[in-house]
Amino acid sequence: MKKNQLFDKRFLMTFFSVIAVLVIVPIFIQRPFTVNVLILCLIWSIMGIGWNFIGGYTGQVSNGHALYFAIGAYTGALLLKWFSITPWISMWIGAAVSALVAFVIGMPLLRLSGHYFAIATMAIVESARIIFLNWGLIGGATGVTFLEKNMSSFFTLQFVAKHPFYYVCLIFFALMVLLSKALENTRFGFYCQAIKANPESAQSVGINTTKYKSIAYMLSAAVVSIGGALYAQYIQYIDPMMLLPLSTSMLIVLVCVMGGIGTVWGPVLGAFLMTFINEYSRSLFVHINGMNFVVYGVLVILIVLFLPKGLLSIRFNKFYKKERKSHD
Amino acid sequence: MFVQVLFEGLVMGAIYALIAMGIALVWGVMNILSFSQGEFMMISMYLAFYLNQSLKLDPLLSIPIVAVVMFFFGVMIYLLLIKKALKGPLLSQRLVTFSLGLVLTNGMLMLAGGQYKNIPNLLVQGSIDLGVLTISKQKLVPLVICIVVTTLLFWFMKKTTLGNAISATAQDKMAAELIGINTNRAYMIAFGLSASIAGIAGCALTYFYYINPTVGAPFLIFGFIAVCIGGFGSIIGAFLGGLLMGFIDLFTGTYLSVSYKYLAICMLFIIIVSWKPKGLFGR
């Protein structure tokens, strides 16, 4: 396969314009709340891209990616707190741990399909939450607070202002988008999509489905874990109840479905939409307990019902119709 | 002690079984993972609570009212959301029921507040002492209700035309339509029934459990696990899976450690499912 086929021209144009917008826009924003929302958008994009490898391209819908989010967050936090290891390194350790856990968990679970796989991954997250809650060494139910003021903020990735952290997230975001696109156009990506389309016929043409599902699952775990590490450095406090409820796992899925499953830009679009709805409804209805989730839930139901293939499908539909008309 | 734990396990298992049967009904018939089942139960607990507050009605006596109200609530949800979601991909059906659960939990939080509530002055109180076993009558109620509901559900599915129509739709939708079954109506009634079962479970649960907007969540995940252990969409499987779940819950909680009892359930589930991917009684 030729190397220049990895990124087609249209993708590169979209990519550079998106990155350019994301670099320039925050310069004009002074309000910390808005930058905060943008940082969360980028982190959720990274996690959505991660989930997309297994759920979108390979078609194994996992409802338990909160586990890798938590592993990434805890590894980054604890290594910084105990051994003063910079997150620049520890996030890759966290990714490796996540991939290892995904390998072990994937062996029995990836043989399951449909609802069974989803419920099994939910059960794994539930077990993980109980273990994390009762494991005194890593803070148990009280969690970990790890504000480090003695070391330089570039070393600990803990900044007083929000802008520097935003640009750090942007670097990882750009890397993950490139990774996602690169995988889509490699042999590995084609195998994954074949497994999604029809596992039996993929097997019959000689694709080792178990192996490729396992690799996709490990990869997706590693990417989500990097998102978790960034999140932990940003919030500077983590506990199991915050990282491991069912809603975290579902939100990762939601981000992809909103944008468009199995596409490069789908999770990104979905993450920006969902985070904006979530954060702004939270700040708007701060005085009414629970109102923000009601608004959020109703909006999600409406979008899922009326755009089941995600936001990206709107543009494709129009494009497709125009093309057909010109042919007629 | 052992007999006592066995009894308590049976009671908890009865509640899990009721939730699981509702989930199995929706799963088996229309292949949807109903994430809002726990919230249906939570709403009916509040219904029973407010009926008790305003009309001094015992939860036991409010079961028929709650069951009917929840049936029509389920039918309404089906017509408003599920009917449209069924045309979309599998994942969006799951997300619709999950978001519905989110709306119901937080809507109830807005209406009723987050305080823990319970119903005072229950009709059935006291206990029966059998020497080795002290049966609290309050806990006997859910057990009896579960047995009655399960029997009724089986009778309905096996002996009535409507029940047979629902089973036929579950087995093969196209074939059911060919022989003149209105599958849309079968779906509607199945969804309403599952909400109604959740309603009955909620009323029974108020006898020995607190009431709170978030009470549904733990029951939901164990309901799912019970259905999986029992086997793909089969109602008897869900019933037995629920009972098993209750025994494990109480036995590990009593003899090993309270904080790790849910871990035991999850681990058992993983082991069973990796040994028999279609569940213990799966087809």
Side-chain angles (χ1 to χ4, degrees):
Chain A
M1 190 174 284
K2 271 186 277 173
K3 211 175 181 183
N4 55 3
Q5 273 184 332
L6 220 51
F7 305 115
D8 52 89
K9 213 173 169 186
R10 196 174 146 204
F11 168 77
L12 283 179
M13 270 163 61
T14 329
F15 177 74
F16 284 120
S17 39
V18 167
I19 295 295
V21 169
L22 288 178
V23 167
I24 294 165
V25 165
I27 297 172
F28 302 105
I29 298 172
Q30 292 308 321
R31 212 171 145 226
F33 177 77
T34 319
V35 185
N36 164 49
V37 173
L38 285 174
I39 289 173
L40 290 174
C41 287
L42 292 181
I43 292 174
W44 280 105
S45 301
I46 292 172
M47 294 201 286
I49 290 170
W51 182 87
N52 207 14
F53 288 146
I54 183 77
Y57 291 125
T58 322
Q60 289 272 328
V61 176
S62 152
N63 271 4
H65 266 50
L67 174 63
Y68 307 113
F69 180 55
I71 289 176
Y74 266 95
T75 319
L78 291 175
L79 286 182
L80 181 63
K81 199 176 163 105
W82 291 344
F83 307 113
S84 305
I85 297 176
T86 166
W88 290 103
I89 295 167
S90 67
M91 66 172 67
W92 302 105
I93 300 175
V97 173
S98 288
L100 192 69
V101 171
F103 177 70
V104 174
I105 290 175
M107 272 197 293
L109 292 198
L110 284 170
R111 294 191 303 150
L112 308 173
S113 56
H115 292 330
Y116 274 82
F117 182 67
I119 292 172
T121 48
M122 275 163 67
I124 292 276
V125 174
E126 198 62 23
S127 323
R129 189 169 61 155
I130 295 159
I131 294 172
F132 277 54
L133 274 174
N134 292 295
W135 193 354
L137 186 66
I138 61 166
T142 34
V144 189
T145 318
F146 56 105
L147 194 61
E148 288 284 350
K149 283 179 179 161
N150 303 329
M151 288 173 262
S152 82
S153 55
F154 183 72
F155 182 82
T156 59
L157 276 186
Q158 296 176 348
F159 301 96
V160 180
K162 299 214 181 274
H163 279 89
F165 192 75
Y166 172 83
Y167 287 107
V168 170
C169 285
L170 192 59
I171 295 169
F172 285 99
F173 167 78
L175 276 177
M176 293 310 157
V177 172
L178 287 176
L179 177 72
S180 174
K181 182 66 187 177
L183 282 176
E184 195 180 80
N185 284 346
T186 53
R187 186 174 293 234
F188 170 73
F190 294 138
Y191 285 169
C192 288
Q193 286 165 49
I195 293 170
K196 180 186 181 178
N198 191 334
E200 282 83 23
S201 48
Q203 186 103 45
S204 69
V205 296
I207 298 172
N208 187 344
T209 50
T210 323
K211 181 180 153 194
Y212 284 101
K213 271 194 222 170
S214 177
I215 294 176
Y217 192 48
M218 284 162 72
L219 199 68
S220 118
V223 173
V224 170
S225 140
I226 285 176
L230 288 172
Y231 188 75
Q233 296 305 322
Y234 181 53
I235 303 288
Q236 292 159 12
Y237 165 74
I238 47 175
D239 75 54
M241 296 311 271
M242 173 176 98
L243 295 175
L244 286 164
L246 178 62
S247 53
T248 312
S249 303
M250 291 305 277
L251 202 64
I252 299 177
V253 182
L254 203 58
V255 154
C256 291
V257 174
M258 288 290 120
I261 207 169
T263 56
V264 176
W265 293 109
V268 178
L269 202 62
F272 274 79
L273 178 78
M274 291 335 288
T275 316
F276 267 91
I277 294 177
N278 193 7
E279 297 297 319
Y280 280 95
S281 67
R282 192 198 308 246
S283 72
L284 218 63
F285 300 112
V286 74
H287 300 296
I288 313 168
N289 214 349
M291 178 77 179
N292 58 332
F293 284 115
V294 173
V295 172
Y296 183 79
V298 169
L299 282 172
V300 169
I301 290 176
L302 288 178
I303 299 174
V304 169
L305 282 186
F306 289 101
L307 285 172
K309 291 204 171 120
L311 286 171
L312 272 182
S313 67
I314 313 172
R315 197 194 56 186
F316 283 143
N317 279 344
K318 275 184 185 160
F319 184 69
Y320 182 65
K321 272 176 197 159
K322 261 183 205 163
E323 210 172 39
R324 241 178 36 182
K325 266 180 194 164
S326 65
H327 277 297
D328 286 343
Chain B
M1 181 72 177
F2 180 79
V3 184
Q4 186 71 38
V5 176
L6 205 66
F7 170 73
E8 307 257 321
L10 201 61
V11 171
M12 210 58 205
I15 296 288
Y16 284 140
L18 279 175
I19 294 285
M21 282 192 296
I23 294 171
L25 192 61
V26 175
W27 182 342
V29 174
M30 50 187 109
N31 198 22
I32 287 186
L33 215 51
S34 178
F35 275 91
S36 44
Q37 201 71 16
E39 275 69 35
F40 287 162
M41 190 186 80
M42 180 270 295
I43 289 185
S44 54
M45 287 173 90
Y46 272 99
L47 268 178
F49 176 77
Y50 284 117
L51 280 174
N52 180 265
Q53 291 269 299
S54 53
L55 302 173
K56 297 268 170 267
L57 212 55
D58 191 75
L60 208 54
L61 301 173
S62 60
I63 285 180
I65 305 173
V66 173
V68 170
V69 169
M70 288 310 288
F71 178 80
F72 285 108
F73 184 71
V75 168
M76 192 187 79
I77 295 291
Y78 173 79
L79 291 176
L80 278 177
L81 307 175
I82 311 294
K83 195 177 167 187
K84 193 161 171 53
L86 275 171
K87 292 181 190 125
L90 203 74
L91 199 50
S92 64
Q93 298 160 7
R94 209 178 281 171
L95 288 176
V96 164
T97 54
F98 171 75
S99 311
L100 176 67
L102 200 67
V103 171
L104 293 179
T105 307
N106 290 286
M108 199 45 93
L109 187 68
M110 270 164 68
L111 290 176
Q115 303 94 332
Y116 288 74
K117 292 181 170 124
N118 62 334
I119 298 177
N121 307 323
L122 293 163
L123 192 68
V124 183
Q125 271 178 335
S127 58
I128 310 165
D129 201 346
L130 293 177
V132 282
L133 174 67
T134 315
I135 298 176
S136 129
K137 284 181 184 170
Q138 254 163 291
K139 291 194 170 174
L140 207 56
V141 167
L143 195 58
V144 174
I145 290 174
C146 175
I147 293 166
V148 171
V149 168
T150 315
T151 322
L152 277 177
L153 190 64
F154 267 96
W155 172 79
F156 174 77
M157 293 301 273
K158 296 281 177 207
K159 298 286 175 199
T160 62
T161 325
L162 197 58
N164 283 335
I166 293 174
S167 312
T169 313
Q171 274 167 16
D172 192 335
K173 190 180 175 222
M174 286 285 273
E177 272 170 3
L178 280 175
I179 57 168
I181 291 170
N182 185 346
T183 51
N184 186 34
R185 188 159 144 261
Y187 279 175
M188 187 175 84
I189 287 167
F191 202 83
L193 264 183
S194 94
S196 179
I197 294 171
I200 296 169
C203 287
L205 197 60
T206 50
Y207 253 81
F208 67 102
Y209 216 73
Y210 62 86
I211 305 169
N212 186 266
T214 56
V215 72
F219 285 94
L220 175 75
I221 190 155
F222 298 119
F224 280 156
I225 292 178
V227 178
C228 273
I229 288 184
F232 172 74
S234 96
I235 292 173
I236 183 80
F239 175 73
L240 295 173
L243 289 187
L244 183 65
M245 204 106 298
F247 287 132
I248 303 164
D249 184 335
L250 261 292
F251 272 99
T252 50
T254 316
Y255 291 108
L256 292 171
S257 143
V258 179
S259 43
Y260 285 106
K261 65 180 185 182
Y262 291 140
L263 189 66
I265 293 181
C266 293
M267 285 301 118
L268 179 92
F269 163 64
I270 301 290
I271 291 166
I272 286 184
V273 150
S274 36
W275 167 52
K276 274 199 151 183
K278 285 277 176 208
L280 286 179
F281 311 99
R283 280 170 277 181

